[in-house]
Amino acid sequence: MASEKSRVLVLGGTGYLGKRLVKASLRQGHPTFVLQRPENCMDINKIQLLLRLKKHGAKFIEGSLSDHESLVRAVKQVDVVISALSSQDISTTATQLQLKIVAAIIDAGNVKRFIPAEFCIDPARHVHDLEPAKTLNVRMMDVRKAIVEANIPYTSIAANCFAGYFVPNLSQLGTLLPPKDNKVTIFGDGNAKAIYVDENDIATYTVKTIDDPRTVNKTLHLMPPKNILSQNELISIWEKLTGEKYERSTISGEDFLAIMNGADAIIQFGITHNYPIFYEGGYLKSFELKEGDEEATKLYPDVNYTTVEEYLKRYA
């Protein structure tokens, strides 16, 4: 007889990645719950999304991140907690919210797996990045430390570059759509390799881990082989699909960082987040899996992941 599927609670289930996690959990047969927070009750878009998720089979649990007892009650109803709260917020509030979830899991005492809100390049490898990205990475590691100290079984997801933010725009700043003037900016020599992952695939791989003993207390790195590409290769795929040639101009690392001068916090974060990916030899220059690391496509070869070319075809 097949083992019973874990019950899953998604926090931030109406967010960009959260709704995908909810759907992936349902597709994989898990009883899936979304925390229905009171602050969302006057947001018509979130209400409509909740109704669509309900139609797919999701159930709702009322609770608030600012109400410890309600959060504990919610956690007690499930086996697995996935936090899909924004991981790009460098404020102390974001860290405090994650620690509130950890506290609720401790008091509930029944959770067999927690997946914290990381979903980016592995923060453990980037605690020495430039500010303000450094602050985000350090705070995510503070949360991970709290999880480990509380002896909570966890899996960290190193999702690398969300395709929606890096692929259609050919990794250009200031837009999420393909450049219209057939001109692109190349970071450095454009040959540093990055890892681009479809957001639905991120959700699929994440849910795959929750009943898998191989991923307990480990970091799962999402590294689809066909999606490990340089910026030059990314642009060349787009040129092939569109039949158009793009004029490429380069920007040095020094000039790239200078964009931060006078920019708002979001732009500054984006610059310092992207810098180690495209400069300093690139994120993969000295990358190797270490003890405590697993790679998603090797663990789950049955997942037919979306390639960068397939992703770009949506926009061609």
Side-chain angles (χ1 to χ4, degrees):
M1 182 176 179
S3 60
E4 186 176 341
K5 291 277 190 175
S6 293
R7 296 164 296 168
V8 178
L9 172 64
V10 179
L11 305 172
T14 59
Y16 180 67
L17 184 60
K19 61 179 178 287
R20 292 173 168 83
L21 287 162
V22 173
K23 292 177 182 178
S25 179
L26 291 167
R27 281 196 305 270
Q28 294 182 40
H30 294 277
T32 305
F33 301 82
V34 178
L35 189 71
Q36 184 174 324
R37 294 183 280 169
E39 57 264 35
N40 292 337
C41 291
M42 288 299 291
D43 187 324
I44 189 64
N45 292 319
K46 290 187 182 295
I47 291 172
Q48 292 301 314
L49 177 54
L50 284 169
L51 291 174
R52 291 195 295 273
L53 293 175
K54 180 181 179 183
K55 189 175 181 179
H56 283 285
K59 299 178 182 179
F60 306 141
I61 301 177
E62 291 189 2
S64 172
L65 295 172
S66 60
D67 181 345
H68 179 71
E69 294 305 319
S70 74
L71 197 53
V72 172
R73 286 195 299 269
V75 170
K76 282 185 175 180
Q77 298 181 53
V78 299
D79 307 299
V80 174
V81 176
I82 302 176
S83 175
L85 303 178
S86 174
S87 63
Q88 294 188 5
D89 186 347
I90 64 172
S91 69
T92 55
T93 301
T95 305
Q96 290 166 353
L97 291 178
Q98 298 297 327
L99 293 175
K100 286 181 178 181
I101 298 168
V102 172
I105 291 173
I106 293 170
D107 284 357
N110 61 295
V111 169
K112 67 178 187 180
R113 191 74 64 95
F114 176 43
I115 299 177
E118 293 182 8
F119 300 106
C120 55
I121 56 178
D122 183 10
R125 297 170 184 260
H126 289 271
V127 293
H128 301 296
D129 282 358
L130 298 172
E131 292 288 8
K134 175 182 178 178
T135 293
L136 175 63
N137 294 323
V138 168
R139 286 177 176 164
M140 283 195 287
M141 290 307 298
D142 288 341
V143 174
R144 196 187 292 185
K145 180 182 178 184
I147 295 167
V148 171
E149 290 178 347
N151 202 29
I152 298 170
Y154 74 94
T155 302
S156 295
I157 306 296
N160 294 300
C161 298
F162 279 31
Y165 287 90
F166 286 88
V167 172
N169 58 359
L170 309 181
S171 298
Q172 303 300 288
L173 299 175
T175 181
L176 295 177
L177 292 173
K180 295 182 178 180
D181 57 3
N182 287 39
K183 295 180 180 180
V184 287
T185 299
I186 303 294
F187 305 129
D189 62 9
N191 292 324
K193 300 282 188 177
I195 309 170
Y196 307 103
V197 190
D198 178 284
E199 291 84 348
N200 290 318
D201 294 339
I202 294 172
T204 297
Y205 284 121
T206 298
V207 176
K208 282 273 190 180
T209 70
I210 63 179
D211 283 330
D212 187 348
R214 297 174 297 176
T215 59
V216 177
N217 299 337
K218 292 185 177 181
T219 297
L220 183 74
H221 294 265
L222 277 53
M223 304 175 68
K226 293 182 180 179
N227 291 0
I228 301 176
L229 301 167
S230 69
Q231 190 186 11
N232 283 324
E233 290 170 326
L234 173 63
I235 295 166
S236 294
I237 292 172
W238 178 248
E239 289 177 330
K240 175 185 172 183
L241 289 173
T242 61
E244 299 179 359
K245 294 297 292 183
Y246 277 65
E247 180 183 331
R248 308 184 189 198
S249 60
T250 62
I251 182 171
S252 68
E254 182 180 0
D255 289 341
F256 184 72
L257 292 175
I259 297 173
M260 289 197 299
N261 297 334
D264 62 31
I266 296 298
I267 294 296
Q268 291 187 18
F269 168 76
I271 294 294
T272 54
H273 175 75
N274 290 3
Y275 185 77
I277 297 174
F278 296 110
Y279 294 96
E280 297 182 331
Y283 175 48
L284 294 177
K285 180 181 179 182
S286 58
F287 185 96
E288 62 179 349
L289 294 177
K290 303 175 182 178
E291 184 178 356
D293 291 335
E294 296 288 351
E295 200 284 305
T297 64
K298 293 178 180 177
L299 281 189
Y300 310 114
D302 57 307
V303 175
N304 185 24
Y305 67 82
T306 302
T307 67
V308 163
E309 182 170 355
E310 290 166 341
Y311 203 99
L312 279 172
K313 283 180 179 177
R314 305 170 187 174
Y315 296 83

